[in-house]
């Protein structure tokens, strides 16, 4: 992470439940929140927070979650590096107000992700921060071929543009307080892309038609939306397709578990190679 990022960035992790909707995975594992379900023997949120805490954020890490889950989340995160830098913030009734509350009076860069993003990589966070050098808002996306190349069942839905199909990576960055206006797009919560009325209200009917009929590229769509809302939005295309796969349901739980196993084996193999002595080869 750059010196600027280490000093100025606040990371917001969204961990709340949808209001009035019981999460099937939480119910299956007999916990109150999806972020607390066990994955490889530890709570889901700890996978995300372990990476973020080790990665560092000078302005702290804020978890947005309902107050009744505070004690369980604290227990799940006990002993993490720099645990004192982690703050719990009561989630609001909608996504926009939850982000605004977690941002507080912070006036520097903000990175936003979700508590179910167990495969999140530090390189992805760095890419988002770097994008703020020339944009007010950064949105992480991964190409369809990259996602399906990681796992054939990784995603089933993609945003189709004229250049390619993309999946959202549930990773965003805002340059400062002015850019916080972008979260108003998500005030209603839920699946924004499935709600035509909300797209029309936020981006205009012509932009809706352009998106629906795949008349624009991803970059072109972001330019149109930038003009509409008065903020410079940059798409950040992440090469690692795993960054678009988080834990949403039983299918993706199994996918993420499998990918974590592969990652752990690869890292263990790399660590073993680092400590193995190098033997000289004699040539006759």
């Amino acid at each position: 992470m750059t010196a600027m990022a280490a000093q100025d960035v606040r990371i917001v992790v969204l961990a709340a439940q949808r209001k009035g909707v019981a999460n099937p995975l939480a119910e299956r594992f007999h916990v109150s929140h999806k972020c607390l379900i066990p994955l490889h023997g530890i709570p889901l949120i700890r996978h995300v927070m372990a990476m973020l805490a080790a990665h560092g954020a000078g302005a702290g890490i804020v978890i947005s979650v309902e107050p009744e889950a505070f004690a369980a989340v604290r227990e799940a995160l006990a002993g993490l590096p720099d645990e004192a830098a982690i703050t719990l913030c009561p989630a609001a009734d909608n996504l926009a107000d939850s982000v605004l509350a977690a941002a507080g009076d912070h006036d520097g860069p903000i990175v936003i992700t979700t508590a179910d993003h167990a495969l999140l990589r530090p390189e992805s966070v760095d890419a988002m921060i770097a994008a703020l050098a020339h944009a007010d808002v950064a949105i992480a996306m991964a190409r369809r071929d990259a996602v399906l190349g990681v796992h054939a069942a990784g995603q089933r839905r993609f945003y189709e543009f004229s250049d390619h199909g993309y999946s959202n990576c549930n990773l965003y960055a805002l340059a400062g307080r002015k850019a916080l206006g972008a979260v108003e797009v998500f005030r209603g919560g839920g699946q924004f892309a499935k709600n035509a009325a909300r797209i029309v209200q936020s981006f205009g009917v012509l932009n809706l038609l352009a998106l629906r009929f795949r008349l624009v590229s991803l970059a072109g769509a972001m330019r149109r939306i930038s003009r509409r809302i008065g903020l410079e939005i940059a798409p950040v295309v992440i090469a690692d397709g795993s960054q678009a796969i988080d834990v949403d349901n039983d299918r993706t739980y199994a996918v993420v578990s499998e990918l974590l196993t592969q990652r752990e084996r690869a890292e263990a193999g790399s660590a073993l190679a680092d400590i193995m002595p190098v033997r000289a080869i004699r040539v006759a």
Side-chain angles (χ1 to χ4, degrees), residues 144-169:
R144 177 174 49 231
D145 53 1
V147 178
L148 299 182
V150 168
H151 199 291
Q155 282 287 356
R156 290 180 174 170
R157 292 178 177 271
F158 295 90
Y159 300 95
E160 299 293 343
F161 296 90
S162 63
D163 58 327
H164 207 78
Y166 295 87
S167 181
N168 188 292
C169 294

Side-chain angles (χ1 to χ4, degrees), residues 210-231:
L211 292 172
R212 280 291 170 87
F213 292 100
R214 306 179 191 179
L215 300 177
V216 290
S217 65
L218 172 62
M222 292 303 105
R223 287 193 294 270
R224 283 170 171 264
I225 295 170
S226 296
R227 290 193 294 268
R228 176 78 181 188
I229 68 175
L231 294 169

Side-chain angles (χ1 to χ4, degrees), residues 52-206:
L52 292 174
H55 188 248
I61 304 172
V62 181
I63 301 173
S64 176
V65 69
E66 291 86 355
E68 57 266 29
F70 278 15
V73 170
R74 280 289 184 202
E75 182 178 355
L77 303 181
L80 282 180
D82 207 14
E83 184 183 350
I86 300 171
T87 302
L88 303 185
C89 177
D93 290 336
N94 59 77
L95 186 58
D97 284 335
S98 292
V99 172
L100 292 171
D105 60 359
H106 180 64
D107 196 25
I110 299 171
V111 173
I112 304 166
T113 191
T114 54
D116 57 9
H117 206 332
L119 297 171
L120 184 62
R121 289 282 200 181
E123 296 85 358
S124 300
V125 177
D126 287 341
M128 301 303 288
I129 296 167
L132 297 180
H134 56 83
D136 300 307
V137 179
I139 301 175
M141 308 287 281
R143 285 168 54 108
R144 177 174 49 231
D145 53 1
V147 178
L148 299 182
V150 168
H151 199 291
Q155 282 287 356
R156 290 180 174 170
R157 292 178 177 271
F158 295 90
Y159 300 95
E160 299 293 343
F161 296 90
S162 63
D163 58 327
H164 207 78
Y166 295 87
S167 181
N168 188 292
C169 294
N170 275 340
L171 184 62
Y172 310 89
L174 308 173
R177 296 206 66 80
K178 175 188 174 185
L180 278 170
V183 305
E184 292 298 325
V185 169
F186 302 99
R187 179 164 296 279
Q191 296 295 313
F192 179 83
K194 297 178 182 178
N195 191 322
R198 289 176 61 204
I199 299 178
V200 170
Q201 181 181 5
S202 299
F203 304 141
V205 66
L206 292 180

Side-chain angles (χ1 to χ4, degrees), residues 247-261:
V247 179
D248 284 326
N249 48 40
D250 285 317
R251 174 181 58 82
T252 50
Y253 178 90
V255 170
V256 170
S257 179
E258 181 181 338
L259 293 176
L260 275 178
T261 297

Side-chain angles (χ1 to χ4, degrees), residues 8 18 23-24 78 95 108 143 160 171 242 266 279:
D8 299 337
R18 289 187 185 175
N23 184 270
L95 186 58
R143 285 168 54 108
E160 299 293 343
L171 184 62
S242 75
R279 295 182 179 179

